[in-house]
């Protein structure tokens, strides 16, 4: 409606079909193309004038928007093109929240069997989505940084800030949100203090246990991130106490999973990898999906413990790794 000659929709998910239907119903199907693919794998025959992406998440960068738009700017954007949003400001404040406190305490308060109490530690090392308001804030918020979207994406981010509690209360954790500049003075935010905020949660970073605070108490906070790995870490210091949390500790990775991620590990195909090889070996550009299924069933009857599992696996591999 704004006059674009063509719009390209890129999404690796079923919501792309909602976009396709909506565009068709609006009468713009002839000016649109749809790509069911991760944008990092996308190739375009020509560069574009505008790139638009709404992956700012809850805190401003937690959906991988920094690396995504760096790659898109470098490979897709014209020299005089623009990126929307233009920049995102990251904001943080200490908060008191009964609901946030329960995310951790409910595993330790006796309401579940004692053998599950350890889950509270995982909950304390996770980023949670919450909807808080100005009454939850214990101090004036701080701006951690303003990030230009489309610029070179740093592998590691690190910010430190100090707060002075403006009232008595209970410190349950940190709250992160964004103030995003789309273009010019047009902005959007999920700030708890903004009456016109988006209907989008903020990011709650809990403490392992709540701390009672008084007006005038100082709180020192450090937030670190590896955006490409979707890992956050936060440290809170007050009253001679120190809390150190990280989403890495909340991933519940076992030793085997950690070992598989080592760059010096010698890789060997597992049963699933060998099964994928078997399926793809039948793809000769002539056989149908049904014919490949029949061949796998006949020549590799022990590939999976059940026919249902085998058929689902074959269809999944052929849907993901083959084209028309």
């Amino acid at each position: 409606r704004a006059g674009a000659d063509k719009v390209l929709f890129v999404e690796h998910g079923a919501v792309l079909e909602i976009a396709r239907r909506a565009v068709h119903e609006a009468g713009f199907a002839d000016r649109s193309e749809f790509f069911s693919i991760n944008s990092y794998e996308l190739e375009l025959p020509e560069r574009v004038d505008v790139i638009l992406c709404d992956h700012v998440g809850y805190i401003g960068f937690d959906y991988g928007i920094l690396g995504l738009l760096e790659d898109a700017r470098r490979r897709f954007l014209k020299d005089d093109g623009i990126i929307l949003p233009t920049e995102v400001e990251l904001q943080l404040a200490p908060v008191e929240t009964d609901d946030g406190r329960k995310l951790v305490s409910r595993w330790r308060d006796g309401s579940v069997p004692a053998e599950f109490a350890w889950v509270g530690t995982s909950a304390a090392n996770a980023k949670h989505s919450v909807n808080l308001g100005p009454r939850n804030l214990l101090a004036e918020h701080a701006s951690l940084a303003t990030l230009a979207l489309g610029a070179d994406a740093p592998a590691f981010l690190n910010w430190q800030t100090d707060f002075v509690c403006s009232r008595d209360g209970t410190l349950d954790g940190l709250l992160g949100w964004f103030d995003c500049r789309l273009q010019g003075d047009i902005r959007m935010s999920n700030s708890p203090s903004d009456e016109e905020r988006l209907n989008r949660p903020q990011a709650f970073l809990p403490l392992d246990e709540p701390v009672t605070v008084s007006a005038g108490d100082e709180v020192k906070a450090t937030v670190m991130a590896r955006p490409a790995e979707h890992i956050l870490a936060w440290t809170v210091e007050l009253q001679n106490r120190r809390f150190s949390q990280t989403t890495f500790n909340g991933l519940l990775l076992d030793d085997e999973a950690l070992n598989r991620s080592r760059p010096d590990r010698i890789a060997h195909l597992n049963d699933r990898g060998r099964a994928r090889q078997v399926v793809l070996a039948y793809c000769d550009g002539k056989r149908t999906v049904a014919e490949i299924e029949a061949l796998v069933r006949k020549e590799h009857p022990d590939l999976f413990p059940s026919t249902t599992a085998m058929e689902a696996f074959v269809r999944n591999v052929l849907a993901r790794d083959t084209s028309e």
Side-chain angles (χ1 to χ4, degrees):
R1 290 194 177 102
D5 293 327
K6 181 180 290 186
V7 179
L8 312 178
F9 295 84
V10 184
E11 173 65 43
H12 196 195
V15 72
L16 185 72
E17 297 309 312
I18 298 177
R20 193 193 305 270
R21 175 69 180 271
V23 168
H24 174 81
E25 295 292 334
F28 298 118
D30 61 331
R31 283 193 271 159
S32 304
E33 289 188 49
F34 298 84
F35 299 87
S36 180
I37 192 172
N38 186 301
S39 71
Y40 286 107
E41 301 175 30
L42 179 67
E43 293 182 295
L44 297 178
E46 58 183 343
R47 290 183 175 260
V48 302
D49 300 288
V50 179
I51 293 175
L52 172 64
C53 177
D54 181 23
H55 277 307
V56 291
Y58 303 153
I59 198 173
F61 62 87
D62 39 350
Y63 283 177
I65 193 172
L66 301 182
L68 188 149
L69 284 182
E70 177 196 0
D71 176 73
R73 182 261 303 163
R74 180 169 47 84
R75 296 195 297 119
F76 304 143
L77 192 64
K78 293 179 180 178
D79 291 340
D80 59 348
I82 63 173
I83 290 178
L84 304 177
T86 302
E87 63 185 25
V88 59
E89 182 180 352
L90 314 179
Q91 300 183 341
L92 190 76
V95 291
E96 176 178 40
T97 163
D98 291 342
D99 290 341
R101 187 182 314 141
K102 291 175 183 177
L103 293 170
V104 178
S105 65
R106 63 185 176 184
W107 299 100
R108 303 166 173 170
D109 63 5
S111 60
V112 298
E115 56 265 33
F116 293 103
W118 63 270
V119 180
T121 299
S122 293
N125 285 278
K127 178 192 71 178
H128 301 273
S129 62
V130 294
N131 285 287
L132 302 186
R135 288 182 292 183
N136 295 103
L137 304 184
L138 286 171
E140 183 69 24
H141 75 269
S143 176
L144 297 181
T146 298
L147 305 177
L149 298 179
D152 292 347
F156 177 71
L157 299 170
N158 184 1
W159 306 285
Q160 292 183 335
T161 188
D162 295 333
F163 301 99
V164 177
C165 293
S166 57
R167 63 177 179 86
D168 298 347
T170 301
L171 175 62
D172 293 303
L174 302 173
L175 189 73
W177 65 90
F178 64 82
D179 184 341
C180 192
R181 184 163 70 92
L182 297 176
Q183 185 72 8
D185 60 354
I186 303 173
R187 312 184 75 90
M188 65 179 187
S189 177
N190 62 340
S191 166
S193 301
D194 188 344
E195 294 182 355
E196 298 181 352
R197 64 180 179 268
L198 293 172
N199 183 22
R200 181 177 298 185
Q202 306 100 13
F204 175 60
L205 309 177
L207 300 186
D208 193 55
E209 60 181 81
V211 179
T212 300
V213 296
S214 302
D217 282 356
E218 295 184 0
V219 178
K220 182 184 293 291
T222 301
V223 176
M224 296 161 283
R226 291 193 175 275
E229 288 85 25
H230 304 284
I231 293 176
L232 269 173
W234 57 99
T235 300
V236 176
E237 298 176 74
L238 75 161
Q239 303 173 359
N240 296 319
R241 300 186 66 183
R242 187 176 189 272
F243 297 87
S244 184
Q245 326 285 141
T246 171
T247 56
F248 184 82
N249 290 341
L251 293 177
L252 299 179
L253 296 174
D254 56 29
D255 291 341
E256 182 181 355
L258 290 173
N259 181 61
R260 285 198 300 268
S261 67
R262 286 176 33 237
D264 61 340
R265 180 178 67 90
I266 304 300
H268 299 278
L269 285 178
N270 56 21
D271 290 344
R272 201 169 187 83
R274 286 188 288 271
R276 185 177 293 273
Q277 271 192 334
V278 167
V279 173
L280 293 177
Y282 288 115
C283 297
D284 60 358
K286 299 177 183 178
R287 294 187 178 102
T288 66
V289 171
E291 289 171 335
I292 293 173
E293 280 186 14
L295 283 169
V296 173
R297 189 183 306 111
K298 177 183 177 181
E299 299 181 7
H300 301 274
D302 299 325
L303 198 61
F304 281 90
S306 70
T307 301
T308 299
M310 182 275 294
E311 291 176 348
F313 179 80
V314 170
R315 291 173 186 173
N316 179 267
V317 169
L318 296 178
R320 289 178 57 89
D321 298 338
T322 65
S323 59
E324 295 294 335

